[in-house]
Amino acid sequence: MKTFIKLIHICLIPLLLSCSNDDDRNNNLPEPNTQPELNSLTLSEPIQGEKTLSVQPALRWEEYISDEEVVYEILLGTSENNLQTITDTWDSINYIYGVDNDIILDTGTTYYWRVIASENGIAVAQSGIQSFITETILPELISENVGYGARKATGVAVFNTKIWVIGGRDDADNALNDIWSSVDGENWVNEGVFSFGGIYGHKLIAFNNKLWIYGGIFDSTQSTKIFSSQNGIDWIEETQTTPFVQYQSSRFSVLGDKIYRIAGYSAEVDELSPERYVYSSFDGLNWNLETENHRFDTKYQFQIESLDGTLYSLEPNSDSDIDQIKIRNSQNGADWSDPIIFNVQERGINSIGSIVLNNKIILMTTAEDGSSNSSTFYESVNGTEWTLATSLSSVAIRAIYFDLVNLNGQVFAIGGTQRSNFGAVNNTVWKLN
């Protein structure tokens, strides 16, 4: 009898273990997915990847058809993985960013966004994630009368995290010797005087941890002197003189470990005069002749920018009736490419400006004269393909012979003379982004 009971016990063990394993398997089953599959929404504006969008863009999407009240949640961010809710909107399929609180997005920035539709607090539809890029340039007049006073033909540069303005001519054509600096383009500090006297038409440029003054009119003559400063305030006259005649239209640009001096109009009529020479220097004092002919159409109307190991020349068409910019490039300052033609709205033969910002060349074209009082901004990452840099069709910057400077990623236009009156002085400052 005991043997029989023992056998029954042994036979029941596998059965019990089997039941236990079934229970374990059932307990380990995943919970059924209770989240309903969401319907799709289509984002209609801006289109995927659209550029040069206003910093207060209009966001639009398709309507989710429902008998219930629908709430749309708009999510926005600078990363696909970090979208934040910016607003909820009821029964509306468009939203203009910042219109209700007068805030704006950052300029020149890629943004990602999506929309989620909900009924009674439950999400019922969502869009995919799309992106757009805001405009690079957003001009703002920050001062019509800055502290250093109205002047023209001044030297302007960025050095040691400040904008520097040195010398120039006042409204009576007197040469100035004062030194000014600013950390924000709006508030200016008088740093003293340029002890060598008044100077105008010169070039002020930062190179090799110094600020340099080249050319211009000094002591009533065209200067061949070179001045340098380690702090922008205390200046020394270098013993070397330049091998080239300097004038108000010289162009200087830093490429790698060299500084290049390209052209410099001095009223010589000979087509192949030294005005077409290109020089380079490793130290800012000793110069090597790179070429006797840069092959540009003109001698003084162009701008020079350095980007990604390349020098770019931006030259207005010499024919005043043709609104074109010719772009050439060079890796050594001596050999320049054939021009690429870029048609612009107005090309201002004496009044184009340029600057490098966020690995792009920014080109500002200004109508030289006549009824137009506006400027247009373009941008390019390679000097070949150009697009508008702002959603504004035109910008009412009315000064010519201005300087564009980049201070910590913020671009400022510091005015020169008023259009239609080359003798008038100007001291407006625009913040461009």
Side-chain angles (χ1 to χ4, degrees), residues 20 118 120 130 154 157 203 225 229-230 259 283 285 301 343 346 359-360 362 378 411:
S20 174
S118 298
N120 301 316
Q130 292 188 178
T154 187
K203 293 299 177 183
K225 297 180 182 297
S229 173
Q230 293 183 327
I259 184 172
D283 59 9
L285 296 175
Q301 298 164 348
N343 294 312
E346 69 282 286
N359 298 315
K360 297 178 183 178
I362 306 299
Y378 304 90
V411 174

Side-chain angles (χ1 to χ4, degrees), residues 319-346:
D319 189 331
S320 61
D321 295 327
I322 300 177
D323 293 337
Q324 288 181 342
I325 304 292
K326 296 181 178 181
I327 297 102
R328 296 175 171 87
N329 66 74
S330 173
Q331 280 73 48
N332 57 18
D335 305 305
W336 292 83
S337 68
D338 292 331
I340 293 171
I341 305 301
F342 173 44
N343 294 312
V344 294
Q345 293 181 195
E346 69 282 286

Side-chain angles (χ1 to χ4, degrees), residues 64-70 119:
Y64 179 72
I65 305 301
S66 173
D67 294 332
E68 303 289 337
E69 182 181 59
V70 178
E119 296 175 345

Side-chain angles (χ1 to χ4, degrees), residues 215-234:
I217 306 299
F218 174 69
D219 197 21
S220 301
T221 61
Q222 292 183 31
S223 174
T224 58
K225 297 180 182 297
I226 300 175
F227 302 93
S228 71
S229 173
Q230 293 183 327
N231 59 14
I233 301 172
D234 304 303

Side-chain angles (χ1 to χ4, degrees), residues 72 135 263 274 294 332 341:
Y72 297 100
E135 56 197 327
H294 50 50
N332 57 18
I341 305 301

Side-chain angles (χ1 to χ4, degrees), residues 367-410:
E368 183 175 6
D369 216 331
S371 59
S372 175
N373 294 322
S374 63
S375 301
T376 307
F377 291 87
Y378 304 90
E379 62 184 354
S380 176
V381 296
N382 55 19
T384 302
E385 300 166 336
W386 294 84
T387 57
L388 288 170
T390 177
S391 62
L392 302 173
S393 59
S394 63
V395 180
I397 295 180
R398 302 185 60 183
I400 62 176
Y401 293 134
F402 48 79
D403 288 277
L404 300 184
V405 293
N406 182 341
L407 176 65
N408 300 325
Q410 293 185 330

Side-chain angles (χ1 to χ4, degrees), residues 144-382:
E144 292 187 280
N145 188 25
V146 293
Y148 55 74
R151 62 188 63 204
K152 59 186 177 182
T154 187
V156 183
V158 169
F159 178 67
N160 284 353
T161 67
K162 294 180 180 180
I163 305 173
W164 294 83
V165 168
I166 298 178
R169 301 170 77 180
D170 62 17
D171 54 2
D173 280 341
N174 298 310
L176 303 172
N177 67 347
D178 48 352
I179 300 173
W180 295 79
S181 73
S182 174
V183 296
D184 59 9
E186 184 175 5
N187 302 288
W188 293 82
V189 175
N190 189 334
E191 300 281 9
V193 298
F194 182 62
S195 59
F196 298 96
I199 188 170
Y200 64 90
H202 52 295
K203 293 299 177 183
L204 193 64
I205 189 167
F207 176 64
N208 274 0
N209 299 315
K210 289 183 180 181
L211 202 55
W212 301 80
I213 288 178
Y214 294 102
I217 306 299
F218 174 69
D219 197 21
S220 301
T221 61
Q222 292 183 31
S223 174
T224 58
K225 297 180 182 297
I226 300 175
F227 302 93
S228 71
S229 173
Q230 293 183 327
N231 59 14
I233 301 172
D234 304 303
W235 289 83
I236 62 172
E237 179 182 332
E238 302 289 355
T239 56
Q240 292 91 337
T241 60
T242 60
F244 42 77
V245 175
Q246 301 186 85
Y247 198 56
Q248 297 185 48
S249 53
S250 296
R251 299 288 183 257
F252 290 83
S253 186
V254 176
L255 179 66
D257 56 358
K258 289 184 180 181
I259 184 172
Y260 287 83
R261 181 267 188 190
I262 301 171
Y265 180 67
S266 58
E268 295 187 35
V269 295
D270 187 10
E271 181 65 20
L272 292 180
S273 69
E275 294 169 322
R276 293 190 178 277
Y277 289 6
V278 176
Y279 290 86
S280 70
S281 174
F282 284 104
D283 59 9
L285 296 175
N286 300 287
W287 296 85
N288 297 313
L289 178 63
E290 298 287 353
T291 181
E292 293 185 354
N293 184 11
H294 50 50
R295 297 193 301 122
F296 304 167
D297 292 343
T298 57
K299 302 176 182 179
Y300 63 94
Q301 298 164 348
F302 51 85
Q303 297 289 319
I304 299 292
E305 295 298 339
S306 175
L307 176 66
D308 291 338
T310 301
L311 291 172
Y312 290 91
S313 164
L314 300 95
E315 179 185 18
N317 193 300
S318 56
D319 189 331
S320 61
D321 295 327
I322 300 177
D323 293 337
Q324 288 181 342
I325 304 292
K326 296 181 178 181
I327 297 102
R328 296 175 171 87
N329 66 74
S330 173
Q331 280 73 48
N332 57 18
D335 305 305
W336 292 83
S337 68
D338 292 331
I340 293 171
I341 305 301
F342 173 44
N343 294 312
V344 294
Q345 293 181 195
E346 69 282 286
R347 62 96 177 89
I349 191 168
N350 290 321
S351 54
I352 70 168
S354 61
I355 195 73
V356 171
L357 172 66
N358 297 332
N359 298 315
K360 297 178 183 178
I361 300 175
I362 306 299
L363 169 66
M364 177 181 176
T365 63
T366 304
E368 183 175 6
D369 216 331
S371 59
S372 175
N373 294 322
S374 63
S375 301
T376 307
F377 291 87
Y378 304 90
E379 62 184 354
S380 176
V381 296
N382 55 19

